[in-house]
Structure formats: structure tokens, C-alpha cells
Amino acid sequence: MRALLLVDLQYDFMPGGALAVPEGDAVVPLANRLMDKFDLVTASQDWHPADHGSFASRHPGAKPGDRIELDGLPQTLWPDHCVQGTRGAELHDDLRIGEIDRIFRKGQDRLVDSYSAFYDNARRRSTGLGEALREQEVDELYVMGLATDYCVLYSVLDAAELGFKTVVVADGCRGIDLTPGDVEAAWEKMRIAGRVIRSKEILG
Ligand code: VGL
Ligand code: ZN
């Protein structure tokens, strides 16, 4: 059985959002077209408390992009984003939400960030995604969404490590490139962990 994972297609990662990913909105129509090709459609949703430790605003004198240590782990600081219950945390209205079977929220623990849709960065807690995929006997996971060099990358690495045949839909992803080269490095890692394709290989 094959499943699709839509990573963080939320307003704060779209142009105009708090942590805007260039052209982030360009992948939404593609997500809608891909949904019909899969037995199971899942999505992740970055879902932070207002005082999340990854927010630069919580650290006096720090600014977005700075790197600190948060509860023992290296942490890049971000603008406040995807705060639970806010418009910025909502999935894009143009998404065919009714076609998404399950949504997995992440990043609720203020002391640890969660880039992967499977686990927090400290691997203390599972979101339940891996268990749900196993339960549905998914063996192949297709991944697309935002951002290439953070949540897509770490979700793909975890999916591969969990034993799923992992396929990344390249034209369904957009990246941040906080440090120039980050996006290219992410693609290199994902090509090693899984398979990278273009959507036309699925849509014809
Ligand atoms: C993300 C940074 C912080 C992402 C989430 O979805 O890639 N990046 N939180
Ligand atoms: Zn976040």
C-alpha cells in the first residue's frame, strides 16, 4: 500500500506568512492533484504553543536565524510561527482537506522542536505517524511539502530509517536556504536515503 505525506502546507510557510518559504504556495495545486493517486493521504502540521523555545522572541537579544542550545540540543531560532489556533497554523484553504485521511501535529513541546513528521528532534516522542502507516500496511511513502531543508528532509530521513520505501516529489517541495547551500545539501541527503522523482512520474 502506498501513502502520501503532505508536510506543513500551512499559511505561515506561504508567501506573506511568518516563516515564508519562497513559492511555498506553488505546491498546493500539486498536492491536490497527487491525492487521488494514493490509498492513504496524511499530512503534518507544525503546531507550537505561543511560548515555544524555537521562537527567537523567547530569547532576549536573539534574532531569527541565530543558533542556540535548547534543553541540550542545537536549535535554530525562528520567527514566531504556526502558533496553535492561529490562522498561520492552518493548512492552506485551497487544499482538499476532506481528502486527507489523518493529520499529525508536531512541535507542541516547548522545550524541543520537531522537524520530522515522525518524531521530535530529541526523539522523545512519536507523533503516531509511523505507527499509523504500519497499521495500514503502508510500505511506500511519497513525501512533498515545506520546507525542503527542514521538515521535508527530516521526515524523509526518518521514513527511510523506519523502513518505508521513501520517494520525494521534488517539484512538490520548496526550501528556506537559511544558509545558502542548505537546500542542495538536503537534496543530496534525500537522494541517498530514498528516491527523488518529479510529479509527472506519478501523474503521467
Ligand atoms: C519548519 C522551521 C521551523 C518546516 C518548521 O516546516 O520546515 N521549519 N518549523
Ligand atoms: Zn516550527
Side-chain angles (χ1 to χ4, degrees), residues 174-193:
R174 293 292 187 279
I176 298 173
D177 230 15
L178 186 63
T179 303
D182 283 354
V183 169
E184 196 36 59
W187 284 119
E188 225 160 279
K189 288 182 186 139
M190 291 193 285
R191 280 192 292 264
I192 292 165

Side-chain angles (χ1 to χ4, degrees), residues 28-46:
V28 172
L30 182 54
N32 284 335
R33 276 189 280 147
L34 285 177
M35 289 180 190
D36 294 331
K37 304 287 183 184
F38 291 87
D39 309 309
L40 180 75
V41 179
T42 62
S44 63
Q45 187 174 27
D46 213 30

Side-chain angles (χ1 to χ4, degrees), residues 25-188:
D25 53 342
V27 306
V28 172
L30 182 54
N32 284 335
R33 276 189 280 147
L34 285 177
M35 289 180 190
D36 294 331
K37 304 287 183 184
F38 291 87
D39 309 309
L40 180 75
V41 179
T42 62
S44 63
Q45 187 174 27
D46 213 30
W47 192 250
H48 297 306
D51 59 352
H52 195 262
S54 74
F55 297 169
S57 62
R58 306 298 304 171
H59 304 275
K63 57 184 190 314
D66 286 355
R67 291 182 168 87
I68 64 156
E69 196 171 289
L70 182 64
D71 204 32
L73 282 187
Q75 175 68 50
T76 298
L77 294 179
W78 303 108
D80 294 17
H81 66 279
C82 298
V83 172
Q84 296 169 9
T86 63
R87 179 71 175 154
E90 285 177 21
L91 298 183
H92 198 296
D93 286 338
D94 291 349
L95 272 179
R96 294 157 64 208
I97 305 268
E99 302 299 311
I100 301 175
D101 298 292
R102 283 195 61 181
I103 297 173
F104 295 86
R105 290 177 168 168
K106 61 186 179 64
Q108 295 101 320
D109 180 346
R110 64 178 53 76
L111 286 179
V112 62
D113 212 350
S114 188
Y115 296 144
S116 163
F118 292 90
Y119 303 104
D120 63 68
N121 294 2
R123 292 197 157 236
R124 273 183 223 132
R125 214 156 60 115
S126 161
T127 61
L129 171 60
E131 293 81 354
L133 296 177
R134 286 238 168 92
E135 198 174 305
Q136 301 280 316
E137 298 184 2
V138 169
D139 55 346
E140 206 175 2
L141 184 67
Y142 286 68
V143 184
M144 62 155 284
L146 309 172
T148 308
D149 38 349
Y150 287 92
C151 293
V152 172
L153 169 64
Y154 289 100
S155 298
V156 164
L157 296 180
D158 280 347
E161 196 182 309
L162 285 167
F164 298 104
K165 278 181 249 166
T166 308
V167 184
V168 197
V169 183
D171 47 326
C173 300
R174 293 292 187 279
I176 298 173
D177 230 15
L178 186 63
T179 303
D182 283 354
V183 169
E184 196 36 59
W187 284 119
E188 225 160 279

